[in-house]
Amino acid sequence: MKPLSLTAAVVAAAFCTISCAPVAENGRHTDAARQEVFHGHPKTLRTATYPAHSNAGEWFKDTAATDVPQTVYAYNLDGFLTEEIQVVDDTLPVVTVVYEYTAGSPRKAAAVRRKDSVEVSRVAYRYDKDDRLIGTGTTLADGTEAGREDYDLNGRGYCKEARYFSGHGVLLMREVNEYNRIGELTGRDTYSYGGKRDNRHVVVRYTYQGNGLPASATVQDEQASPKETRTVFTYEYDAQGNWVRRIAYNETMKTAEITERKIEYYQ
């Protein structure tokens, strides 16, 4: 699978943050933020994103596309995310993340990442005295520290700044978030640090639909070409009111992606 550019990665990560409403983890786009609040009681969620092509004004997914990850999220009866499995094709290992919770609490204690059942890494979650997520720490299976994330919260408990460090404690990236009065993420400034020539600043601004889903994302990146792009989102919904198809159309580049979700509900 080809890696995303920084600009595309920023949009993708931020989209997960603002389209998934985590119960108690302040909109962080760590793996924990995939604990989406659904209408109804989801049992599993299957999702895949395809490049799209247009025909007579309609967008269709490119079924011939290769390396399209298929991700399955599993939930318990309380609606807590318990597992996610990602498969690209038969030649690559199956990646599984299993979530562990603090006994008697909706707080995640850890996320264990495995490849073909072999543990690769473990993420531990840190909370403040008010049970608000304030950071994570990642260690490899051999105990080596692989990275750390620290979150500063505003007065309403939303993450106003996130800092990402390497396993050696080197600051790699910093994010500054802005919210509107109802808590929707309206802007994110991402600063990446990779030395004098590789420092980068990407700005993303969002608008919303009335149901809380993003309507558009505008990205400004001086190191990209073009320097500014705008993506608009449209959705289709199931009978429960959860979106099952999203079209992300980049008005600047005239390209699109289709994300399909299949949700199985507890009866």
Side-chain angles (χ1 to χ4, degrees), residues 50-244:
Y50 299 83
H53 65 274
S54 62
N55 183 11
E58 296 288 332
W59 287 100
F60 300 90
K61 68 179 182 181
D62 183 358
T63 55
T66 59
D67 298 340
V68 175
Q70 308 286 324
T71 306
V72 182
Y73 305 94
Y75 301 82
N76 61 21
L77 283 168
D78 294 319
F80 300 149
L81 178 64
T82 58
E83 185 179 65
E84 72 180 74
I85 303 171
Q86 185 176 89
V87 180
V88 178
D89 59 43
D90 294 336
T91 66
L92 295 174
V94 176
V95 176
T96 304
V97 181
V98 177
Y99 296 94
E100 300 174 355
Y101 288 83
T102 302
S105 169
R107 297 192 328 176
K108 284 185 175 65
V112 181
R113 184 180 181 88
R114 301 188 177 102
K115 286 187 178 180
D116 285 343
S117 76
V118 177
E119 183 171 328
V120 176
S121 63
R122 176 179 291 262
V123 175
Y125 299 95
R126 303 193 312 273
Y127 299 83
D128 65 12
K129 60 182 179 60
D130 297 316
D131 279 350
R132 301 180 305 185
L133 184 68
I134 57 173
T136 67
T138 302
T139 56
L140 303 181
D142 63 4
T144 303
E145 293 188 10
R148 187 181 87 247
E149 300 181 11
D150 294 339
Y151 314 141
D152 293 339
L153 311 182
N154 63 19
R156 301 175 65 187
Y158 301 128
C159 179
K160 65 180 180 180
E161 182 172 320
R163 294 177 298 280
Y164 302 84
F165 299 86
S166 72
H168 300 290
V170 177
L171 179 63
L172 303 176
M173 188 170 71
R174 185 170 66 92
E175 293 175 342
V176 179
N177 300 318
E178 298 176 2
Y179 302 87
N180 61 19
R181 59 182 178 81
I182 60 174
E184 295 169 335
L185 179 68
T186 56
R188 169 169 289 157
D189 285 49
T190 301
Y191 302 87
S192 300
Y193 307 106
K196 186 175 181 180
R197 292 186 176 182
D198 296 325
N199 290 346
R200 194 167 189 175
H201 178 204
V202 178
V203 179
V204 189
R205 296 291 181 261
Y206 305 95
T207 64
Y208 289 85
Q209 303 185 15
N211 60 3
L213 291 175
S216 70
T218 301
V219 180
Q220 296 175 332
D221 182 356
E222 288 298 319
Q223 296 187 33
S225 180
K227 291 180 172 54
E228 181 173 306
T229 61
R230 183 174 187 270
T231 300
V232 295
F233 305 101
T234 56
Y235 307 86
E236 295 177 12
Y237 302 86
D238 65 10
Q240 296 281 349
N242 298 309
W243 71 267
V244 292

